[in-house]
Amino acid sequence: GFLGDDRRPLVEILDEDDAAVRRLGVTHAAIAARMRALRAAGAAGLGNAVAVPPHFDVTVDSFRGRLRCPFGDDVAPKTNITVVNRALGREIVYSDLAIHLIAAHGFYNGRGAPYRLEPADLVAVLAVPAAEPAAED
């Protein structure tokens, strides 16, 4: 299910998403950090939307159980995090497992997968800040 109907080898999926993230001027870590921060802000609502400045509404729905990482290295609680960006009129839904997959593996699921997250959508809707330029030695 994580690959959807994507027939490309896993390494090609990872490489393409990594290249997309680099073109956007961010990192997988920055995307995951923003996802975590919005999740933390929305958790206080206990399933109800929480207004998060400057223009987000965040709802965290938790379910019983846990989901195992397909790479076999972690287990995440079952959650759906819905972030509405009122300034853009757009929303995105992700899970704790998605945060882990992006942070640890740079994996956004394959094309056609039900939980596929496009890096460009995440960056835009979540307003992920640009990466700091690397210091030159």
Side-chain angles (χ1 to χ4, degrees):
F2 290 99
L3 296 178
D5 56 14
D6 203 329
R7 299 290 178 232
R8 297 173 297 157
L10 178 59
V11 70
E12 191 175 319
I13 294 168
L14 293 169
D15 286 348
E16 185 175 305
D17 284 335
D18 186 60
V21 167
R22 283 187 274 113
R23 279 191 306 274
L24 292 163
V26 298
T27 63
H28 303 294
I31 293 170
R34 185 69 173 144
M35 293 167 81
R36 277 190 207 100
L38 288 167
R39 184 215 190 283
L46 302 171
N48 295 307
V50 172
V52 178
H55 48 253
F56 299 99
D57 291 323
V58 182
T59 305
V60 178
D61 292 307
S62 296
F63 306 95
R64 290 183 70 173
R66 300 180 68 73
L67 297 169
R68 182 164 303 282
C69 171
F71 296 95
D73 64 343
D74 201 8
V75 177
K78 286 185 179 181
T79 56
N80 279 338
I81 299 107
T82 303
V83 177
V84 176
N85 181 322
R86 294 186 310 272
L88 297 178
R90 293 178 62 193
E91 79 172 33
I92 202 154
V93 179
Y94 59 90
S95 66
D96 280 316
L97 182 57
I99 296 170
H100 165 76
L101 291 172
I102 292 167
H105 307 288
F107 184 58
Y108 297 78
N109 289 278
R111 293 182 191 139
Y115 296 102
R116 167 75 182 169
L117 295 166
E118 291 295 336
D121 292 339
L122 286 167
V123 169
V125 176
L126 305 182
V128 177
E132 294 289 325
E136 293 187 31
D137 294 324

